[in-house]
Coordinates of all heavy atoms in Angstrom, one line a residue:
D103 N -17.7 -26.3 -36.8 CA -17.2 -27.6 -37.1 C -17.2 -27.9 -38.6 O -16.2 -28.4 -39.1 CB -18.0 -28.7 -36.4 CG -18.0 -28.7 -34.9 OD1 -17.0 -28.2 -34.3 OD2 -19.0 -29.1 -34.3
Y104 N -18.2 -27.5 -39.3 CA -18.3 -27.7 -40.7 C -17.3 -26.7 -41.4 O -16.6 -27.1 -42.4 CB -19.7 -27.4 -41.2 CG -20.6 -28.6 -41.1 CD1 -21.4 -28.8 -39.9 CD2 -20.7 -29.6 -42.1 CE1 -22.2 -29.9 -39.8 CE2 -21.6 -30.7 -41.9 CZ -22.3 -30.9 -40.8 OH -23.1 -32.0 -40.6
W105 N -17.3 -25.5 -41.0 CA -16.5 -24.5 -41.7 C -15.0 -24.9 -41.7 O -14.3 -24.6 -42.6 CB -16.7 -23.1 -41.2 CG -18.1 -22.6 -41.4 CD1 -19.0 -23.1 -42.4 CD2 -18.8 -21.6 -40.8 NE1 -20.2 -22.4 -42.3 CE2 -20.1 -21.5 -41.4 CE3 -18.5 -20.7 -39.7 CZ2 -21.0 -20.5 -40.9 CZ3 -19.4 -19.8 -39.3 CH2 -20.7 -19.7 -39.9
N106 N -14.6 -25.5 -40.6 CA -13.2 -25.9 -40.5 C -12.8 -27.0 -41.5 O -11.6 -27.3 -41.6 CB -12.9 -26.3 -39.1 CG -12.7 -25.1 -38.2 OD1 -12.2 -24.1 -38.6 ND2 -13.0 -25.2 -36.9
K107 N -13.8 -27.6 -42.2 CA -13.5 -28.7 -43.1 C -13.4 -28.1 -44.6 O -13.1 -28.9 -45.5 CB -14.6 -29.7 -43.1 CG -14.6 -30.5 -41.7 CD -15.6 -31.6 -41.7 CE -15.7 -32.3 -40.4 NZ -14.4 -33.0 -40.0
F108 N -13.6 -26.8 -44.7 CA -13.5 -26.2 -46.1 C -12.4 -25.1 -46.1 O -12.2 -24.4 -45.1 CB -14.9 -25.6 -46.4 CG -15.9 -26.7 -46.7 CD1 -16.7 -27.3 -45.7 CD2 -16.1 -27.2 -48.0 CE1 -17.6 -28.2 -46.0 CE2 -17.0 -28.2 -48.3 CZ -17.8 -28.7 -47.3
E109 N -11.8 -25.0 -47.3 CA -10.7 -24.1 -47.4 C -11.1 -22.6 -47.5 O -10.4 -21.7 -47.0 CB -9.9 -24.4 -48.6 CG -9.3 -25.8 -48.6 CD -8.7 -26.3 -50.0 OE1 -8.6 -25.4 -50.9 OE2 -8.5 -27.5 -50.1
H110 N -12.2 -22.4 -48.1 CA -12.7 -21.0 -48.4 C -14.1 -20.8 -47.9 O -15.0 -21.3 -48.4 CB -12.6 -20.7 -49.9 CG -11.3 -21.0 -50.5 ND1 -10.2 -20.2 -50.4 CD2 -10.9 -22.0 -51.3 CE1 -9.2 -20.7 -51.1 NE2 -9.6 -21.8 -51.6
V111 N -14.2 -20.0 -46.8 CA -15.5 -19.7 -46.2 C -15.6 -18.2 -46.0 O -14.7 -17.6 -45.4 CB -15.7 -20.5 -44.9 CG1 -17.2 -20.2 -44.4 CG2 -15.5 -22.0 -45.0
R112 N -16.7 -17.7 -46.4 CA -17.0 -16.3 -46.3 C -18.4 -16.1 -45.6 O -19.4 -16.6 -46.2 CB -17.0 -15.6 -47.7 CG -17.1 -14.1 -47.7 CD -17.1 -13.6 -49.1 NE -17.0 -12.1 -49.1 CZ -16.0 -11.4 -49.5 NH1 -14.9 -12.1 -49.9 NH2 -16.0 -10.1 -49.5
V113 N -18.4 -15.5 -44.5 CA -19.6 -15.3 -43.7 C -20.0 -13.9 -43.7 O -19.3 -13.0 -43.2 CB -19.5 -15.9 -42.3 CG1 -20.8 -15.6 -41.5 CG2 -19.2 -17.4 -42.4
A114 N -21.2 -13.6 -44.3 CA -21.7 -12.2 -44.2 C -22.9 -12.2 -43.2 O -23.9 -12.9 -43.4 CB -22.3 -11.8 -45.6
A115 N -22.7 -11.4 -42.2 CA -23.7 -11.4 -41.1 C -24.7 -10.3 -41.4 O -24.3 -9.1 -41.5 CB -23.0 -11.2 -39.7
S116 N -25.9 -10.6 -41.5 CA -27.0 -9.6 -41.8 C -27.4 -9.0 -40.5 O -28.4 -9.4 -39.9 CB -28.2 -10.3 -42.5 OG -28.0 -10.6 -43.8
L117 N -26.6 -8.0 -40.1 CA -26.9 -7.3 -38.9 C -27.0 -5.8 -39.3 O -26.1 -5.2 -39.9 CB -25.8 -7.5 -37.9 CG -25.5 -8.9 -37.5 CD1 -24.2 -9.0 -36.6 CD2 -26.6 -9.5 -36.7
D118 N -28.2 -5.2 -39.0 CA -28.5 -3.9 -39.5 C -28.1 -2.8 -38.5 O -28.0 -1.6 -38.9 CB -30.0 -3.8 -39.9 CG -30.3 -4.7 -41.0 OD1 -29.5 -5.1 -41.8 OD2 -31.5 -5.2 -41.0
A119 N -28.1 -3.1 -37.3 CA -27.8 -2.1 -36.2 C -27.4 -2.9 -35.0 O -27.5 -4.1 -34.9 CB -29.1 -1.3 -36.0
N120 N -27.0 -2.1 -34.0 CA -26.5 -2.8 -32.7 C -27.5 -2.6 -31.6 O -28.4 -1.7 -31.7 CB -25.1 -2.2 -32.3 CG -25.1 -0.7 -32.3 OD1 -26.0 0.0 -32.7 ND2 -23.9 -0.1 -31.9
H121 N -27.4 -3.4 -30.6 CA -28.2 -3.3 -29.3 C -29.7 -3.3 -29.6 O -30.1 -4.2 -30.4 CB -27.7 -2.1 -28.5 CG -26.2 -2.1 -28.3 ND1 -25.6 -2.9 -27.4 CD2 -25.2 -1.3 -28.8 CE1 -24.3 -2.7 -27.4 NE2 -24.0 -1.7 -28.3
A122 N -30.4 -2.5 -29.0 CA -31.9 -2.5 -29.1 C -32.3 -2.2 -30.5 O -33.4 -2.8 -31.0 CB -32.5 -1.5 -28.2
R123 N -31.6 -1.4 -31.3 CA -32.0 -1.1 -32.6 C -31.9 -2.4 -33.5 O -32.7 -2.7 -34.3 CB -31.1 0.0 -33.2 CG -31.3 1.4 -32.7 CD -30.4 2.4 -33.3 NE -30.7 3.8 -32.9 CZ -30.2 4.4 -31.8 NH1 -29.4 3.7 -31.0 NH2 -30.5 5.6 -31.6
G124 N -30.8 -3.1 -33.3 CA -30.6 -4.4 -34.0 C -31.7 -5.4 -33.7 O -32.2 -6.1 -34.5
E125 N -32.1 -5.5 -32.4 CA -33.1 -6.4 -32.0 C -34.5 -6.0 -32.5 O -35.3 -6.9 -32.8 CB -33.2 -6.5 -30.4 CG -31.9 -7.2 -29.9 CD -31.9 -7.2 -28.3 OE1 -32.7 -6.4 -27.7 OE2 -31.1 -8.0 -27.8
F126 N -34.7 -4.7 -32.7 CA -36.0 -4.2 -33.2 C -36.1 -4.6 -34.7 O -37.1 -5.1 -35.2 CB -36.1 -2.7 -33.1 CG -37.3 -2.1 -33.7 CD1 -38.4 -1.9 -32.9 CD2 -37.3 -1.7 -35.0 CE1 -39.5 -1.2 -33.5 CE2 -38.4 -1.1 -35.6 CZ -39.5 -0.9 -34.9
L127 N -35.0 -4.4 -35.5 CA -35.1 -4.6 -36.9 C -35.1 -6.1 -37.2 O -35.6 -6.5 -38.3 CB -33.9 -3.9 -37.6 CG -33.9 -2.4 -37.6 CD1 -32.6 -1.8 -38.2 CD2 -35.1 -1.9 -38.4

């Protein structure tokens, strides 16, 4: 809802791995 009120939004997702590896880290 907030992001739709701004013209320029850049989201960097801190995800290091997928599935069980991601949940571990």
